[in-house]
Amino acid sequence: MRPSSRRPSHQRGRVVPFLLLGFLFGAGFYWLIARNPPAALSPAPTPAAVQARAVTARADLSDFERNNIEVFRAVSPSVVNITTVEHMASLFSRRITEVPRGTGSGFIWDADGHVVTNFHVIQNSDGARVTLADQSSYTAKLVGAFPDRDLAVLQIEAPKDRLPPIIVGASENLVVGQAVYAIGNPFGLDQTLTTGIVSALDREIESVTRRAIRGVIQTDAAINPGNSGGPLLDSAGRLIGVNTAIYSPSGGSAGIGFAIPVDEVNRIVPRLIKDGRVTRPTMGVSAAPPDFNESLGLGKGLAVVGVETGGPADKAGLTPFKRERTGGIVIGDMIIAIGDVEIGNFDDMLDQMERHQPGDKVGVKVRRGDKERTIEVTLGEPE
């Protein structure tokens, strides 16, 4: 016989209570969940009304803030963006395409459309476009440049009512600590204002020609790539310098920026507009290097080692150092001052030459041995 598959009656009696307990437990658990749902499943309470936060009134703008706003409003129309271009020839046709090369800043000098910027902004470019504050853009032509002072003048043909000239100030009476403003186009962001102070004066930087640019203004107003050529302003909104360089290992503003003083700019720009270049007159002398003075114990001054025959210095009676046949040195003249300015090296003399025109008569103070004298030299035309 096959064994029965039915449980014994005593086993069936045990199953029924267990089923009943399971049912009661499940029903109780469901009731608890229904009464107290988990937080994640609970619907968020709906507020009666959602309202914006109340606005807290503020006091009037400070005098400093109002002045910042006024300077920017007054001067920004005179500040321009400069985009340099490079001409690229197509590989498959003779078409020449203008490709943007870099950006910088500048400012309107006069209503004739002359724009002042740094020479290094336009250096090695094939052309430039000037964008005004109203976003109108014009092709610029180069009027003149003076790389020794990192200055250049462009010109655009635009309606005169769109060409408000910048107000020119002075740099000779600046003091450390006074407020300054820089407006330019850092990283291509047009019409940007930064503020700071004059942090130092009479700094010296190197131009693209490795000539020293002296009397430079140092500022902590943020100056970044693209600010080059833009104006540095005083609190009256007057031009006091042209932003030209930053000192930063990272290439971004580190709180040390430099500007060419406006007194230099105001001396050079009119000459660039008139002649296209700065004509430096000559004295007709050759100078010895600094170690010449040290080796002979000559002291401070510029040792004249050559005089151009028939030149200004020759006509004035300057005598150069010479070497005897026996090898000895015949003492000649040392230039120690031009006008009231002491001359310590060749750069000093070139700086003074730039401040004069051919035909000007200047007093040159010379020393020969222990004797000093001042002679008058009529400066000559450059070759």
Side-chain angles (χ1 to χ4, degrees):
M1 291 178 65
R2 295 177 59 187
S4 174
S5 61
R6 296 179 65 186
R7 292 188 179 92
S9 60
H10 68 277
Q11 290 180 347
R12 292 197 302 271
R14 293 175 185 171
V15 172
V16 172
F18 278 114
L19 291 174
L20 181 60
L21 288 173
F23 175 77
L24 293 174
F25 179 79
F29 181 76
Y30 177 80
W31 181 80
L32 288 173
I33 291 296
R35 290 287 303 273
N36 301 286
L41 301 177
S42 300
T46 304
V50 178
Q51 296 180 350
R53 292 285 308 276
V55 176
T56 302
R58 60 150 292 158
D60 291 338
L61 295 174
S62 67
D63 291 341
F64 177 70
E65 290 173 311
R66 284 197 293 269
N67 194 67
N68 292 349
I69 295 168
E70 181 58 33
V71 168
F72 182 75
R73 284 177 177 172
V75 182
S76 59
S78 301
V79 182
V80 304
N81 174 261
I82 297 173
T83 303
T84 56
V85 297
E86 184 177 0
H87 292 159
M88 301 288 290
S90 172
L91 293 175
F92 307 104
S93 70
R94 296 182 180 180
R95 181 180 299 174
I96 302 296
T97 305
E98 286 190 349
V99 178
R101 188 175 182 276
T103 62
S105 302
F107 52 89
I108 299 169
W109 183 258
D110 56 31
D112 292 328
H114 291 111
V115 173
V116 176
T117 187
N118 285 143
F119 171 74
H120 77 258
V121 168
I122 62 157
Q123 185 181 17
N124 298 326
S125 65
D126 296 320
R129 291 194 66 81
V130 171
T131 302
L132 303 181
D134 63 3
Q135 298 305 306
S136 59
S137 183
Y138 301 89
T139 299
K141 68 176 183 179
L142 178 63
V143 173
F146 190 33
D148 285 358
R149 290 293 179 270
D150 198 16
L151 291 172
V153 177
L154 308 176
Q155 188 174 23
I156 59 174
E157 293 185 6
K160 291 186 182 297
D161 59 357
R162 295 187 180 184
L163 299 171
I166 200 164
I167 299 173
V168 176
S171 52
E172 63 178 358
N173 54 1
L174 295 176
V175 293
V176 173
Q178 74 177 79
V180 293
Y181 302 84
I183 302 179
N185 304 278
F187 304 111
L189 304 172
D190 63 334
Q191 297 294 304
T192 298
L193 172 72
T194 56
T195 65
I197 61 170
V198 173
S199 50
L201 294 167
D202 203 26
R203 292 302 197 210
E204 183 175 308
I205 61 175
E206 191 176 80
S207 71
V208 294
T209 60
R210 300 194 178 279
R211 280 282 312 280
I213 304 177
R214 297 186 174 93
V216 171
I217 303 164
Q218 180 183 320
T219 177
D220 68 348
I223 295 174
N224 289 291
N227 272 113
S228 291
L232 186 69
L233 311 162
D234 63 11
S235 58
R238 304 180 311 157
L239 177 72
I240 59 171
V242 178
N243 299 317
T244 189
I246 56 173
Y247 179 78
S248 171
S250 67
S253 175
I256 301 178
F258 300 104
I260 301 169
V262 69
D263 293 349
E264 282 285 281
V265 178
N266 209 8
R267 177 177 65 83
I268 292 170
V269 167
R271 296 171 70 174
L272 293 179
I273 293 174
K274 179 177 180 291
D275 302 322
R277 63 191 180 103
V278 173
T279 304
R280 184 185 294 124
T282 64
M283 195 180 295
V285 297
S286 301
D291 56 2
F292 183 84
N293 293 24
E294 296 176 8
S295 63
L296 296 181
L298 297 174
K300 192 174 181 180
L302 194 66
V304 178
V305 293
V307 173
E308 178 186 341
T309 302
D314 185 31
K315 293 177 180 178
L318 266 72
T319 301
F321 283 72
K322 296 178 182 178
R323 186 176 292 277
E324 296 178 324
R325 291 183 179 179
T326 57
I329 299 293
V330 178
I331 300 297
D333 288 326
M334 294 191 64
I335 299 174
I336 58 176
I338 296 177
D340 298 328
V341 180
E342 292 186 356
I343 302 298
N345 53 49
F346 197 65
D347 261 356
D348 290 344
M349 189 178 78
L350 291 180
D351 286 346
Q352 292 309 302
M353 292 296 99
E354 289 167 9
R355 286 165 169 74
H356 294 282
Q357 298 282 358
D360 287 353
K361 299 181 187 299
V362 296
V364 179
K365 190 175 183 179
V366 298
R367 182 179 68 239
R368 186 184 304 173
D370 296 330
K371 296 182 178 180
E372 295 182 359
R373 62 192 177 111
T374 299
I375 59 178
E376 185 178 79
V377 178
T378 302
L379 301 178
E381 292 277 355
E383 294 182 358

